[in-house]
Each structure stands twice: as structure tokens, then as C-alpha cells.
Amino acid sequence: MDYKLRGNTLEIITGVSTLTNHYVSVFVSLQSGTYIISDGGWIDKGFYDNIISSEDEDVFQRVETQFQAHFDIRQTKHRDGTRYYFKAVENPELISVMVRDVSQYVSAIVNSQAIAFNEAKETSQRATFYQDVNTYLREHYGSDILELNGSLKRHGEELAAIRFNAIIRRPTTTHLVMYVTGYTAPLFVKDACEATVNFQIAKKDIRVSRSGIFQRSAIVNTMANGFVPVKVNEYLANLEKELEHPLISYHSDKSKILEQIPERVAA
């Protein structure tokens, strides 16, 4: 897409992207009649926001070995300790092919690291939010009526696969609750869409739609990394339209939970 001259080295900014929202740069230099096409040490220096936890090092070493074999990539270590990944060719007509291979290699390595890193972050953030909300619900609704990660199986076998983060059951009304969170905007959107569909399925069930037995609420983690309004607002608006009442922002107004789901039912 672009290039920069860095002394005797040409940086080629490719159109190859990474899951960490970077475009891959490949560096070309001429050394003793041989063209060296490398990553410029950027993988090792973490320029792509690629982070490896110590627990995952063994796994990534195996992944790295496989990708190196696939793309025929070599590596060397500079005197300052930085590792460089590269290919070498004497024929200048093959430079573009080498640039393609190196850029694809960089993207593959960074993405494999980012996936595991983001999964760990997503799991940690999701678990923390779920724990906070679950604790709050336990404090205000007894275990005799609160069911976490519950299904609608008792309302029909065909509904057994439909699960909700929390179900509060009372003699005349069942409150269905979904949590919406996500470490990235796509994961946040996925939660919002899943909540919308689950509520739609519960609403369409003929037996319960006639009796109005189900009340539905969605609790949103507006502190999540994936809560990017410009990317998620339309999906949240669609969810709110399905519920026909406001979504509950847990961190800014969790008291709305008690308004939508009273602690005690009037006699």
C-alpha cells in the first residue's frame, strides 16, 4: 500500500492485516548481491501488539516451527538479541513473491498469538462480569427461585437447548435474564445477538405467549473493552426493541435490576 526509505532498507507497508489491527511491514535490503526480505525484527519487538504469556510459550514454539516450514522462513538473531525472520533471493524478479511470503508469515504468527491472548482476556473479563452479576442476584433473590445458566426445559423439550444466564422463577412469572459483554466489539455484538434471539424464541412459544409468563431483562457490561458505541449501538437498540423496556447498565445503574425484577412479590 505504501513504502518508506530507511537508509539502505526499503520498508514495504503491505495490505496484509493482523487481528491486532495493524498492517504488516516487510523490509528489503541488498547485502553482497543478495536481497534480504525480513520482518525487521518487529515480531520479536512486539510492534504488532503481539503478547505471549509464559504459559503459552511451548505451544507457540510449535506453531512457529510449523509456519516457518510452510513459508520456508529462516531466522537469525542480531547482536542486540532481536530475532529476525527472513527470506533471501538473488533474483530481483522474485522479491515480490518473497514479500508476499514474509508478510503472510508475520500475519499468521501475530494472529496465532493474538487469538490466544484475546481469548485469555475475554475469558477473564467475562468471568469477572458474570461473577459480579451472579453475586448481586444471589444477594437479592434466594436460591429457591434463582437458577443460573438455566434452560427452559420444564416448559417443553423443544426449549431445552435455550439457556439464559439467569432465570428467576415465581409462581405466576418467570424472569429470563441475559448478560451482554465482550472483550472485542464482535464478541460484544455476538452476545447482544444471542440475547435477542433467545428472547425471541421464548416469546414465540405459543403456550407462554398467551399467558405472558415470561418477563425478559438484559444486563449490559458498559465497561467491557468491546463496548464501542459506534459498533454495537444498533445491536443493543434492536435488543431493547425486542424487550420493549430499557436495557440495564450494570455498572452505572444496577438498581434497575430490582425495578424490573422486584425482590418480593406483593401479596
Side-chain angles (χ1 to χ4, degrees):
M1 299 194 302
D2 203 351
Y3 71 92
K4 294 180 181 178
L5 291 175
R6 297 178 177 271
N8 296 326
T9 300
L10 175 67
E11 176 188 354
I12 299 175
I13 304 169
T14 74
V16 179
S17 61
T18 70
L19 292 176
T20 55
N21 297 319
H22 293 277
Y23 285 104
V24 173
S25 282
V26 175
F27 299 82
V28 182
S29 62
L30 180 62
Q31 300 178 17
S32 302
T34 300
Y35 293 96
I36 306 297
I37 300 92
S38 81
D39 78 314
W42 281 18
I43 293 178
D44 198 36
K45 294 177 180 178
F47 279 22
Y48 297 102
D49 295 325
N50 48 307
I51 300 174
I52 305 176
S53 66
S54 57
E55 295 84 358
D56 293 331
E57 284 183 357
D58 290 341
V59 175
F60 284 123
Q61 284 179 1
R62 294 196 296 270
V63 171
E64 184 179 70
T65 299
Q66 292 178 0
F67 280 128
Q68 284 182 10
H70 177 76
F71 291 104
D72 193 23
I73 298 291
R74 290 185 282 173
Q75 67 171 302
T76 186
K77 183 176 289 188
H78 192 266
R79 57 178 176 271
D80 66 1
T82 303
R83 285 189 299 170
Y84 288 77
Y85 301 93
F86 70 95
K87 299 191 77 165
V89 64
E90 294 182 357
N91 185 351
E93 294 181 359
L94 296 178
I95 291 178
S96 61
V97 177
M98 302 295 104
V99 168
R100 180 198 63 191
D101 286 353
V102 173
S103 63
Q104 292 292 341
Y105 171 78
V106 171
S107 177
I109 290 295
V110 172
N111 289 348
S112 66
Q113 296 172 357
I115 289 171
F117 177 69
N118 284 337
E119 282 181 349
K121 287 291 187 179
E122 161 67 9
T123 300
S124 175
Q125 189 174 90
R126 182 176 295 270
T128 299
F129 179 64
Y130 276 34
Q131 183 177 10
D132 288 348
V133 179
N134 289 345
T135 298
Y136 184 84
L137 295 180
R138 289 192 188 99
E139 291 174 352
H140 293 276
Y141 309 99
S143 59
D144 55 328
I145 64 171
L146 173 64
E147 179 183 357
L148 299 175
N149 192 31
S151 77
L152 299 180
K153 183 176 181 180
R154 68 173 64 182
H155 298 279
E157 286 294 332
E158 67 277 14
L159 297 176
I162 309 303
R163 306 193 73 85
F164 294 85
N165 296 117
I167 299 178
I168 300 169
R169 303 182 189 275
R170 290 191 167 118
T172 59
T173 305
T174 295
H175 296 270
L176 307 177
V177 184
M178 289 293 290
Y179 307 161
V180 179
T181 186
Y183 187 72
T184 65
L187 289 171
F188 196 97
V189 167
K190 181 177 179 292
D191 265 20
C193 291
E194 182 180 358
T196 302
V197 171
N198 281 9
F199 287 139
Q200 288 174 341
I201 292 174
K203 182 179 180 181
K204 286 181 179 178
D205 186 85
I206 297 176
R207 292 159 302 167
V208 298
S209 63
R210 288 177 178 172
S211 62
I213 190 174
F214 288 160
Q215 299 294 320
R216 304 167 299 163
S217 298
I219 301 175
V220 181
N221 182 10
T222 53
M223 298 297 291
N225 289 56
F227 179 69
V228 183
V230 69
K231 296 182 179 180
V232 306
N233 274 353
E234 286 191 30
Y235 297 92
L236 292 178
N238 190 47
L239 174 58
E240 188 169 78
K241 182 179 179 180
E242 174 62 32
L243 294 176
E244 298 179 343
H245 57 72
L247 304 177
I248 300 170
S249 175
Y250 181 75
H251 292 287
S252 62
D253 199 2
K254 69 178 69 174
S255 64
K256 293 292 183 181
I257 298 175
L258 304 182
E259 292 182 14
Q260 292 189 18
I261 312 173
E263 290 185 84
R264 296 178 178 80
V265 179

